[in-house]
Amino acid sequence: DTGVSQNPRHKITKRGQNVTFRCDPISEHNRLYWYRQTLGQGPEFLTYFQNEAQLEKSRLLSDRFSAERPKGSFSTLEIQRTEQGDSAMYLCASSLRGGRVNEQFFGPGTRLTVL
Amino acid sequence: AQKITQTQPGMFVQEKEAVTLDCTYDTSDQSYGLFWYKQPSSGEMIFLIYQGSYDEQNATEGRYSLNFQKARKSANLVISASQLGDSAMYFCAMREINFGNEKLTFGTGTRLTIIP
């Protein structure tokens, strides 16, 4: 049983460039989440999908950010015109709807550095 | 709005001793869930334990137990017989259980270091 995977693990880019991250959830999980974690802080919620539908977006998700989950499987998070303030760890998680706990299983994250 | 507070930025504990990591929360909802996650230096968040707001018993999972005091709005994590591999960041998180809300709100974490 493979866990949540994320690619790339590290990304260094110059300010103003676009970047795209990919997340592959646990295969039977229908919910997928994106979080952002900056140094010394806990993860902050960005958005989540149930199957292919994006059901909630945080105010943190400015119009430069877009997330998709076209077939209800993997998801991509794109940041356009990156800024130095976008430097952070981007975490993806997945869960299975139903059950009492609905714990979210996290991937290893993509660390973004914007120069 | 839901909020999680972890007041211990760092803790040092001797191996084999028990350790308590503090967590207080704020919510106006009656139905919510509390989670603890471990984040080793590799970065991956590992789910440890869950407590529902209506659970009468404190949750336990192996060496982990959750000291849930609802009136005080606290959900402290207790790790018994600490091991070197317990050294990591620990995050308390909450989810308000209402229709459509799936996000976890995390605290700022506690860095635990186990001393041999």
Side-chain angles (χ1 to χ4, degrees):
Chain A
D1 180 30
T2 57
V4 178
S5 62
Q6 293 187 245
N7 288 287
R9 293 293 308 276
H10 303 273
K11 178 71 176 179
I12 300 174
T13 191
K14 292 183 179 179
R15 188 177 49 162
Q17 298 294 306
N18 299 343
V19 294
T20 300
F21 310 140
R22 176 177 170 129
C23 170
D24 287 88
I26 293 171
S27 58
E28 64 269 25
H29 285 184
N30 53 4
R31 287 179 171 167
L32 186 147
Y33 313 79
W34 286 98
Y35 291 84
R36 182 174 70 184
Q37 185 178 21
T38 54
L39 203 60
Q41 301 295 318
E44 296 174 291
F45 171 80
L46 293 178
T47 188
Y48 100 92
F49 294 83
Q50 181 160 302
N51 300 315
E52 65 275 11
Q54 188 173 18
L55 296 185
E56 187 176 353
K57 293 196 295 186
S58 162
R59 293 171 300 169
L60 295 174
L61 212 65
S62 75
D63 55 7
R64 295 185 298 106
F65 288 70
S66 63
E68 294 182 345
R69 195 183 183 198
K71 296 183 179 180
S73 56
F74 73 91
S75 176
T76 57
L77 177 68
E78 180 184 16
I79 308 174
Q80 296 181 329
R81 305 181 304 281
T82 52
E83 302 172 356
Q84 288 185 326
D86 297 331
S87 295
M89 176 78 87
Y90 290 84
L91 294 166
C92 176
S94 69
S95 71
L96 185 63
R97 183 183 181 186
R100 193 179 76 89
V101 180
N102 290 338
E103 68 267 37
Q104 296 178 19
F105 294 84
F106 283 79
T110 295
R111 183 170 295 284
L112 173 66
T113 302
V114 181
L115 302 176
Chain B
Q2 52 190 358
K3 184 179 179 181
I4 296 288
T5 302
Q6 295 180 255
T7 58
Q8 305 155 308
M11 290 189 69
F12 291 84
V13 173
Q14 203 76 37
E15 189 180 7
K16 299 182 184 177
E17 289 187 350
V19 56
T20 297
L21 305 180
D22 295 341
C23 171
T24 57
Y25 61 91
D26 188 21
T27 178
S28 54
D29 276 21
Q30 297 300 310
S31 182
Y32 51 88
L34 296 157
F35 301 76
W36 277 93
Y37 280 85
K38 172 184 179 181
Q39 188 177 41
S41 55
S42 59
E44 188 169 341
M45 302 282 286
I46 301 167
F47 168 71
L48 296 178
I49 195 167
Y50 169 85
Q51 180 84 42
S53 58
Y54 292 114
D55 293 343
E56 295 184 354
Q57 301 286 334
N58 285 344
T60 61
E61 288 288 346
R63 295 187 298 113
Y64 304 108
S65 60
L66 203 151
N67 183 1
F68 181 48
Q69 298 188 44
K70 194 170 182 177
R72 294 186 176 186
K73 292 190 174 180
S74 75
N76 298 340
L77 177 70
V78 180
I79 305 174
S80 63
S82 57
Q83 303 171 357
L84 295 178
D86 294 334
S87 293
M89 284 291 293
Y90 288 80
F91 291 96
C92 180
M94 177 172 66
R95 183 179 73 224
E96 293 173 337
I97 301 173
N98 51 60
F99 180 77
N101 180 49
E102 290 298 323
K103 67 180 181 184
L104 289 173
T105 298
F106 287 85
T108 52
T110 296
R111 181 173 296 280
L112 176 64
T113 303
I114 307 300
I115 305 167

